[in-house]
Structures are given as C-alpha cells and as structure tokens.
Amino acid sequence: LPPVLAALQSGQRLSGPALPRPPPPTAMLRLLSIVFVACAAHGLALNCGVTSPAAVSRTASVTMAHHVQKKATKKHQATRPRKSRPSDINRKPPQYPQLPDQPWMTPIAASEASSQQMVTITLSPSDSADSVREKLQSAGAVATEEVYFSNQLVTSTLGDCGLQEEKTIEVAVVSQP
C-alpha cells in the first residue's frame, strides 16, 4: 500500500510531503467561478453574427397569421356566383318602363277634394255637441259628425272642454268626401 493509504488506515495523522496541500480558499473560489461562467455561457445561446437561414426567415418578417386569408373584395370576387348555364350566360337585362318626369313635390288629390267653410256662431258653456251641430246647420254649414273644441272631442258640454263664458267665434267646417 502506498504510505498515504497505510497511514489513513492506521488512524495516524498525516503531515509532510506525502500528502498534497489543499489549494487556498481564494483559488478554489476562482476555479468554481470560472467553471460556473463556462457552464452558463454554454447554455446561453448568443448570436455572434453567424446566422442560419432558418433563423433569418423566422425573424425577418413578423406575421401573426398561420394561414393568411383573403380580405374583403378579394374574397367577395373569389366566392361570387358564376354564370354556368347557357340561359344565365345569354340573359339580357330586363327592360323597365321609363319613370315619368315629375316634380319632387306634388300636391295630394285628397287634400284638394276636401272643402272648408267658415261660419260664425255663438257658443255657451252649457252647449252640448248636438246643440253645436244645430247651430252650425242654422248658420249654413254642412252637418258634422264630430265636434272639437280646443283640440278636444266634445262628448258632454263645452264647459267640460274649457269654455268659461259665452263667446262668438268663427268656425272652420271641413268636409271630406
């Protein structure tokens, strides 16, 4: 056995030239830091100017779409229906009659047919719709179906529609066909 191993087995304390000296702690730390930096540099992939064609094409143009699709008009043109039958291919556009040349605003015939007559009558708050109709007929107007006072249909008396005192008013009687 070598003297170092024999001394270790017997439990003696070793000293002298037989046992190599351990390195100082600063040298050990320096060696460990170099090994650590070498391992980190090996794991870190730095681009040093030498690039592969695959890396260039992957980073040269950034596109987020995997399958680029047609946009708006291009898609509409690609998917439009085609004329495939001879009856479709040879079809002529329909002939519509010409639009009459009219002014943009024309009077309505119904408004011309209605007639308006002005009469003067005296009304009191106690008058009902029937008594107002009688007064209109005695003034020379055509009999009416409905009587309005202050934009309200008269169902009971004129006092209920807002007439406070006796009044003489000019009435427009509109008759429609």
Side-chain angles (χ1 to χ4, degrees):
L1 282 174
V4 174
L5 288 177
L8 284 175
Q9 282 181 351
S10 66
Q12 293 178 8
R13 191 166 179 162
L14 296 177
S15 64
L19 190 64
R21 265 183 36 195
T26 56
M28 182 64 104
L29 286 175
R30 198 174 300 145
L31 178 66
L32 281 176
S33 64
I34 290 173
V35 170
F36 178 73
V37 169
C39 290
H42 181 343
L44 182 65
L46 295 176
N47 190 356
C48 300
V50 179
T51 57
S52 66
V56 170
S57 66
R58 187 172 58 228
T59 59
S61 63
V62 177
T63 58
M64 301 309 275
H66 297 284
H67 302 284
V68 179
Q69 298 182 9
K70 294 179 180 177
K71 306 289 187 278
T73 306
K74 194 169 188 180
K75 181 178 179 182
H76 178 69
Q77 287 297 97
T79 61
R80 69 180 176 82
R82 303 295 199 282
K83 291 182 177 180
S84 57
R85 297 183 304 179
S87 62
D88 286 335
I89 295 170
N90 299 326
R91 182 180 299 150
K92 295 191 176 172
Q95 296 295 323
Y96 295 108
Q98 288 286 35
L99 293 174
D101 190 22
Q102 292 180 342
W104 65 275
M105 179 187 252
T106 56
I108 298 173
S111 65
E112 294 172 357
S114 64
S115 63
Q116 185 173 354
Q117 186 179 11
M118 299 298 287
V119 293
T120 304
I121 58 172
T122 304
L123 298 175
S124 66
S126 61
D127 285 342
S128 65
D130 293 331
S131 63
V132 172
R133 280 191 205 102
E134 290 172 4
K135 289 181 180 182
L136 287 172
Q137 284 180 345
S138 64
V142 181
T144 60
E145 293 178 15
E146 296 176 335
V147 177
Y148 287 89
F149 183 79
S150 299
N151 294 329
Q152 291 181 343
L153 179 64
V154 177
T155 54
S156 56
T157 64
L158 292 177
D160 294 339
C161 292
L163 184 63
Q164 300 293 328
E165 56 188 40
E166 192 169 308
K167 261 188 198 180
T168 302
I169 60 170
E170 192 170 327
V171 179
V173 179
V174 180
S175 63
Q176 296 186 2

